[in-house]
Amino acid sequence: MNTNSNTYTVIYTTILVVIVAAILAFASSALKSRQQANMDLAKMKTIMLAANMGQTPEGNADKKADFMQLYNDHITATCVIDASGNVIEGVDAFKDVDLKTQFNNLKKGLPVQLPVYECTMDDGRKVNIVAMYGAGLWGAIWGYMAVEDDNQTVAGAIFDHASETPGLGAKIAEAPFYTQFRGKKLTDNGEFGSVKVIKGGANGADNGVDAISGATMTSKAVSESLAMWFNAYKAYFTNRTSAPEQPCCDEAECAENTESNE
Amino acid sequence: MEYLNLFVKSVFVDNMIFAFFLGMCSFLAVSKNVKTATGLGLAVIFVLGITLPLNYLLYEYILKPGALAWLNPEYATIDLSFLSYIVFIATIATFTQVVEMFVEKFAPGLYNSLGIFLPLIAVNCAILGGSLFMQERGYANLGEAFTFGIGSGVGWFLAIVAMAAIREKLAYSNIPAGLKGLGISFIITGLMGIAFMSFMGIQLPF
Amino acid sequence: MNKEIYTKPFFLGNPITVLVLGICSSLAVTVQLKGALVMALSVTIVTACSSLILSLLRNTIPTRVRIIVQLVVVAMFVILIDQVLKAFAYDTSKMLSVYIGLIITNCIIMGRIEAFALGNKPWPSFVDGACNGLGYGMILIIVAFFRELLGSGTLFGFQIIPASWYLENGGWYMNNGLMILPPMALILLGCVVWIQRSIQKELQEK
């Protein structure tokens, strides 16, 4: 058999590619649901951690906590809003909003879809959990921040990253950094603004936290991404301040959303 | 201006060799003298500059979840991203093979100085790494992908030429027997990496 | 089949310190032992399996598309590993991110296929691939051990250096932040090579 003829080469590669593609397609579809479940669970975990749930007293994730249970029990409503604070109908905050896409839209000034999760705490308080996403030093950074019902006090925050330097920038995902955000105010010269990450120490400022020493770029990235996202969320929170009774979304939709999360 | 910023960043800050160690094999094997190092460096710039935009288009219009929607809105749920590694590497391997044939046929002079490196490049991690980083970081358009490709290539080129120059001088220095050759090359690359870290905070004023 | 095939990849023919293969994609994963271990296992599985498959196919592969056929087989295994990690070890797969994909261009795999699997029977090829993967993993783990211990004071994430030794707790000890940075991987590797070549003098370069 001549293994160098054109026909042979073409047939050989075709068969090989078809076999390989078939194996991969099979593996991918067989594992898809597990992978999706993992991703969903990771997302639920960060959202719940932002509301200080499922945490040890130091603020680390509690290894025994069942985050899916927590999420289903406490997230009482979700909605997606645009940059002027209006609810966008027919979009699911958990399933349909890809933060990376929204981040790119935000940068370019295109219309955005911003997720809001309403979380009912154990004592009946309601907090709004909002998202943020940005570019760190090496890769993406993202996080969630829970805002109290007064629309200006931070209840809790959480950050995660794709590939920041371990031991330096990666510390944004560790308790000593993100627990600093608790109780900070979302104010900027009397107006609504984001919490800032301040290099050299916040010195107790009520709208700033200490940056991580040795990780200037990552700290700066957190600060800038927060500023960018809270600028987009500004309308939503100011609307809420002027009309405090306005719920996150209407009742029927709330019920529907809660169901779909289960 | 954004492009210039991205370019500078990918040359110095996100340098393929000093920040990510990609393409180390050929980097260490071919950095013994400046002339061959320059040849390989140029070949890498060329291949990165072409394959990155190509892979960007493939990813954006075929592989990405929902990317097939331009063919037919019904295909919007198809997610082929699990095939991206194989498609990227196939593009790179095919491209280098095609270029090699062309160069051999039409520019024998260039082939003699560049062509021998082309097969090496197919398995150069810097090339595949470029495509994977492009996918991971989600560059927004073709221009960014191209700038990133050229920038990474130039960064790689700078690194290998600088290394070759140092190694030419090293031949005359007195190094402990066990460190000679490979050992000292590792350490020098590490030290150069530390030096390159000083570019980390770089930000163009516009 | 002689015994050399088992022992050679670990010392006299170690893929990293002697053959200078496969440094590219992996030094960035040596910050923590866990990442290094997963990487080492993944590379071993991919090298062994693809050596086996390509050795079975060795007489049928058309020479002109040899490299592409090899890359396709290797890429298939890498994608499988990536998918399995994403499904069963999500955190680890997140930590390794693009570096799993870069196993495709890990020169050890292509190097062993070209140098051994294409000219030998399937079983010896499988063993050769597996041993080379392990030899490579051994170096990764040595480097990761020192980087994690000295850089973060932990091993596999468990605190090894007593907390009371640290400066902030009134002690005298501080983690060596330099160890965490990428260039230190290369410098450590240089030291490993130095030690090995001081013992096995026949490896020294002139």
Side-chain angles (χ1 to χ4, degrees):
Chain A
M1 189 167 48
N2 177 14
T3 56
N4 281 323
S5 76
N6 281 339
T7 350
Y8 181 81
T9 308
V10 171
I11 294 174
Y12 189 91
T13 34
T14 317
I15 294 178
L16 184 80
V17 166
V18 169
I19 294 176
V20 167
I23 296 177
L24 291 180
F26 173 75
S28 150
S29 57
L31 296 171
K32 188 98 204 162
S33 58
R34 268 199 86 101
Q35 293 173 357
Q36 191 60 44
N38 279 332
M39 284 193 280
D40 287 352
L41 187 64
K43 195 167 173 182
M44 287 175 183
K45 182 174 166 185
T46 36
I47 294 174
M48 292 327 288
L49 285 174
N52 306 327
M53 285 195 210
Q55 286 180 347
T56 58
E58 297 84 48
N60 293 312
D62 187 348
K63 287 206 173 74
K64 279 178 256 139
D66 179 356
F67 286 97
M68 194 187 283
Q69 189 67 42
L70 277 174
Y71 182 90
N72 288 334
D73 289 350
H74 292 275
I75 297 295
T76 38
T78 64
C79 66
V80 177
I81 52 153
D82 62 17
S84 30
N86 301 320
V87 174
I88 304 173
E89 303 287 340
V91 186
D92 186 73
F94 190 81
K95 288 199 198 98
D96 300 337
V97 178
D98 176 34
L99 292 181
K100 191 165 153 187
T101 321
Q102 302 311 323
F103 170 66
N104 284 330
N105 289 351
L106 212 52
K107 262 200 314 197
K108 285 187 226 150
L110 296 173
V112 284
Q113 301 180 336
L114 308 164
V116 179
Y117 301 84
E118 187 193 83
C119 174
T120 312
M121 311 290 275
D122 289 326
D123 56 10
R125 262 183 319 137
K126 284 194 171 155
V127 298
N128 282 299
I129 303 174
V130 295
M132 80 97 177
Y133 185 102
L137 176 60
W138 302 113
I141 52 172
W142 61 93
Y144 290 89
M145 196 179 270
V147 182
E148 298 279 6
D149 222 12
D150 66 359
N151 300 318
Q152 57 162 332
T153 312
V154 177
I158 184 89
F159 302 98
D160 206 349
H161 62 95
S163 44
E164 298 307 297
T165 326
L168 296 172
K171 281 189 181 158
I172 59 166
E174 291 171 15
F177 178 72
Y178 62 73
T179 48
Q180 290 186 86
F181 283 84
R182 291 179 191 167
K184 296 290 175 192
K185 298 280 185 226
L186 292 165
T187 50
D188 188 11
N189 293 329
E191 276 192 51
F192 183 84
S194 89
V195 178
K196 287 145 208 71
V197 182
I198 300 166
K199 193 184 171 182
N203 294 324
D206 67 355
N207 65 350
V209 298
D210 299 345
I212 295 163
S213 55
T216 315
M217 298 305 282
T218 310
S219 305
K220 205 169 129 198
V222 172
S223 197
E224 280 170 4
S225 316
L226 278 175
M228 184 168 160
W229 283 78
F230 272 102
N231 190 31
Y233 276 115
K234 188 174 175 178
Y236 173 75
F237 284 109
T238 17
N239 289 355
R240 274 177 59 88
T241 321
S242 46
E245 290 312 309
Q246 190 186 9
C248 166
C249 49
D250 59 60
E251 289 301 318
E253 208 191 336
C254 289
E256 197 182 297
N257 280 336
T258 338
E259 264 164 40
S260 64
N261 288 332
E262 274 163 10
Chain B
M1 283 303 106
E2 222 169 85
Y3 290 131
L4 194 60
N5 228 328
L6 179 66
F7 179 77
V8 171
K9 199 164 175 256
S10 47
V11 174
F12 295 107
V13 185
D14 292 348
N15 188 289
M16 280 285 176
I17 296 251
F18 295 131
F20 299 106
F21 307 128
L22 297 181
M24 284 298 289
C25 308
S26 22
F27 175 77
L28 289 170
V30 189
S31 61
K32 288 197 176 111
N33 74 65
V34 174
K35 204 167 162 237
T36 40
T38 316
L40 182 65
L42 289 175
V44 167
I45 299 183
F46 178 65
V47 175
L48 262 176
I50 307 283
T51 56
L52 232 89
L54 269 180
N55 280 338
Y56 173 81
L57 291 176
L58 283 170
Y59 183 67
E60 204 67 9
Y61 292 105
I62 297 184
L63 299 170
K64 205 164 87 165
L68 285 171
W70 59 273
L71 268 181
N72 184 337
E74 283 170 31
Y75 296 160
T77 51
I78 297 181
D79 175 6
L80 290 178
S81 54
F82 67 93
L83 284 177
S84 55
Y85 296 163
I86 222 164
V87 171
F88 288 170
I89 195 72
T91 315
I92 293 167
T94 319
F95 179 75
T96 45
Q97 207 129 27
V98 170
V99 169
E100 193 190 351
M101 286 189 236
F102 263 93
V103 172
E104 192 177 7
K105 183 122 186 157
F106 297 111
L110 186 64
Y111 181 75
N112 288 335
S113 56
L114 250 186
I116 38 167
F117 297 119
L118 285 168
L120 255 181
I121 284 179
V123 289
N124 185 325
C125 331
I127 313 282
L128 182 66
S131 290
L132 293 179
F133 281 129
M134 181 244 334
Q135 178 194 5
E136 171 103 350
R137 296 181 194 158
Y139 287 117
N141 55 45
L142 202 58
E144 281 192 8
F146 178 70
T147 316
F148 175 67
I150 294 285
S152 308
V154 172
W156 204 89
F157 170 84
L158 273 183
I160 194 169
V161 173
M163 186 68 189
I166 294 178
R167 281 180 83 166
E168 278 187 0
K169 295 278 173 248
L170 272 185
Y172 307 106
S173 42
N174 198 1
I175 301 161
L179 260 181
K180 254 184 201 156
L182 187 60
I184 195 74
S185 311
F186 278 141
I187 293 180
I188 289 174
T189 317
L191 292 175
M192 287 167 82
I194 294 179
F196 262 67
M197 290 185 81
S198 56
F199 288 116
M200 213 179 248
I202 209 168
Q203 195 103 47
L204 294 183
F206 28 79
Chain C
M1 190 162 67
N2 54 20
K3 230 170 63 190
E4 213 181 37
I5 188 173
Y6 292 104
T7 54
K8 207 171 169 213
F10 291 96
F11 304 104
L12 281 176
N14 188 289
I16 293 192
T17 60
V18 181
L19 305 178
V20 209
L21 294 175
I23 301 141
C24 333
S25 60
S26 11
L27 288 182
V29 304
T30 52
V31 179
Q32 284 161 344
L33 264 174
K34 197 175 150 203
L37 193 67
V38 174
M39 193 68 181
L41 285 177
S42 314
V43 170
T44 307
I45 294 171
V46 175
T47 328
C49 296
S50 43
S51 282
L52 177 72
I53 300 282
L54 284 161
S55 169
L56 283 170
L57 295 175
R58 69 185 186 281
N59 294 324
T60 66
I61 299 175
T63 31
R64 261 182 301 167
V65 292
R66 197 183 71 227
I67 302 272
I68 297 182
V69 169
Q70 291 169 6
L71 285 173
V72 166
V73 172
V74 173
M76 181 186 80
F77 283 109
V78 171
I79 297 176
L80 284 178
I81 291 207
D82 184 41
Q83 298 278 334
V84 168
L85 281 181
K86 267 190 195 147
F88 296 100
Y90 184 71
D91 288 340
T92 319
S93 104
K94 208 182 102 195
M95 187 170 82
L96 295 175
S97 65
V98 295
Y99 290 97
I100 287 285
L102 286 173
I103 296 178
I104 299 173
T105 46
N106 191 314
C107 327
I108 292 180
I109 301 175
M110 297 297 285
R112 287 332 288 171
I113 292 170
E114 283 277 305
F116 198 91
L118 290 182
N120 284 286
K121 290 213 169 69
W123 176 244
S125 304
F126 180 81
V127 174
D128 178 75
C131 289
N132 272 286
L134 291 173
Y136 157 90
M138 184 180 80
I139 303 290
L140 274 200
I141 287 171
I142 294 175
V143 174
F145 176 84
F146 287 107
R147 285 184 78 188
E148 191 176 344
L149 184 66
L150 300 176
S152 324
T154 57
L155 286 178
F156 286 111
F158 294 107
Q159 193 69 35
I160 296 292
I161 312 269
S164 57
W165 286 13
Y166 282 95
L167 263 183
E168 62 257 37
N169 300 336
W172 49 273
Y173 185 80
M174 230 176 130
N175 284 328
N176 184 348
L178 201 57
M179 280 292 166
I180 296 170
L181 300 175
M184 274 319 279
L186 279 172
I187 295 178
L188 275 176
L189 196 57
C191 297
V192 171
V193 171
W194 189 4
I195 293 168
Q196 188 193 10
R197 293 192 177 182
S198 309
I199 301 167
Q200 294 172 326
K201 292 207 162 48
E202 63 270 38
L203 290 174
Q204 287 175 4
E205 291 169 50
K206 288 197 196 82

